[in-house]
């Protein structure tokens, strides 16, 4: 359906492929503050140190998912730049078997919907591979049908009336709201 679910689906596929549990640690960047991300500072023997942030797992296999990255405050963009570049924050390292994925909406996407986001500076942009993803109506129907069954009432409805699906944020029903509807009805 969307960015977050794609990351969780990728973790499931990777788990099958490597025969290990691939975890997803989702960090909603728009809800973070600098100390949450960087680790709280403390003074010991006259020197400043930073506690290890909880978001830096060192063991196992996983995806560190920095969600809503464009909505994050600028100081978190700078901290993320260090994490992406060096795989560490204030001396605390991310485990070697962890991938970093960021996601978020553009300021103005291909459907002309405007989102409240902060522009990345050139250094951060340069360290990321950028992909614009937009599902098709058929992909949404296939996904929902596979997850909830082709006989589900909502799936049958959108199959018959696939113009009811809106991708522009202004229309009738988004793929996400359709899934919420299915869950509520179940």
């Amino acid at each position: 359906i969307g960015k977050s679910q794609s990351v969780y689906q990728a973790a499931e596929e990777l788990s099958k492929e490597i025969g290990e549990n691939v975890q997803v640690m989702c960090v909603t960047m728009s809800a973070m503050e600098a100390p949450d991300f960087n680790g709280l500072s403390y003074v010991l023997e006259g020197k400043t140190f930073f506690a290890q942030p909880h978001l830096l797992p060192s063991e196992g296999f996983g995806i560190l998912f920095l969600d809503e990255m464009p909505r994050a405050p600028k100081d978190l963009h700078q901290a993320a730049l260090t994490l992406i570049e060096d795989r560490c924050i204030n001396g605390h390292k991310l485990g070697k078997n962890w991938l970093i994925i960021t996601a978020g909406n553009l300021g103005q996407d291909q459907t002309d919907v405007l989102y409240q986001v902060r522009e990345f500076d050139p250094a951060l942009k340069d360290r990321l591979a950028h992909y614009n993803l937009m599902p098709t109506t058929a992909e949404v129907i296939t996904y929902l049908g596979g997850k909830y069954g082709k006989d589900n009432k909502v799936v049958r409805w959108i199959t018959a009336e696939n113009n009811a699906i809106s991708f522009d944020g202004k229309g009738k029903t988004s793929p996400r709201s359709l899934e919420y509807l299915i869950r509520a009805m179940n």
Side-chain angles (χ1 to χ4, degrees):
I1 292 290
K3 299 174 296 291
S4 300
Q5 289 189 354
S6 296
V7 171
Y8 285 96
Q9 289 170 5
E12 284 180 34
E13 293 298 317
L14 284 170
S15 294
K16 292 175 191 171
E17 189 174 313
I18 67 171
E20 298 279 348
N21 179 36
V22 177
Q23 307 167 61
V24 174
M25 178 176 282
C26 181
V27 178
T28 305
M29 296 295 287
S30 60
M32 300 286 289
E33 294 180 354
D36 300 325
F37 196 82
N38 294 319
L40 288 172
S41 64
Y42 62 95
V43 176
L44 181 65
E45 297 177 7
K47 296 180 182 174
T48 302
F49 296 90
F50 292 88
Q52 180 165 349
H54 79 281
L55 61 87
L56 280 181
S58 57
E59 301 297 319
F61 294 82
I63 298 171
L64 178 58
F65 179 40
L66 306 179
D67 197 12
E68 299 297 345
M69 185 74 167
R71 292 179 183 255
K74 282 287 188 196
D75 57 344
L76 292 184
H77 285 186
Q78 300 310 314
L81 173 76
T82 302
L83 175 63
I84 293 164
E85 179 77 16
D86 301 329
R87 297 184 56 82
C88 72
I89 298 174
N90 291 323
H92 301 288
K93 292 192 178 290
L94 177 65
K96 67 177 183 167
N97 295 316
W98 281 76
L99 301 170
I100 301 170
I101 296 177
T102 69
N105 296 308
L106 302 171
Q108 185 168 3
D109 69 12
Q110 54 267 43
T111 62
D112 291 328
V113 174
L114 294 174
Y115 293 96
Q116 295 177 354
V117 300
R118 289 174 184 81
E119 193 67 31
F120 291 170
D121 72 20
L124 182 56
K125 280 183 183 178
D126 186 51
R127 285 159 178 84
L128 299 171
H130 303 266
Y131 299 93
N132 293 324
L133 305 175
M134 178 65 76
T136 65
T137 299
E139 288 170 331
V140 171
I141 292 169
T142 298
Y143 170 78
L144 292 172
K147 188 169 182 180
Y148 298 103
K150 293 180 185 193
D151 290 333
N152 177 280
K153 291 178 184 179
V154 174
V155 173
R156 287 195 337 251
W157 171 62
I158 61 174
T159 300
E161 299 289 334
N162 60 27
N163 65 342
I165 300 174
S166 170
F167 297 102
D168 66 6
K170 303 179 231 175
K172 302 169 188 137
T173 50
S174 70
R176 179 178 291 120
S177 65
L178 288 167
E179 185 161 30
Y180 291 164
L181 175 62
I182 291 171
R183 288 186 205 160
M185 291 176 71
N186 286 345

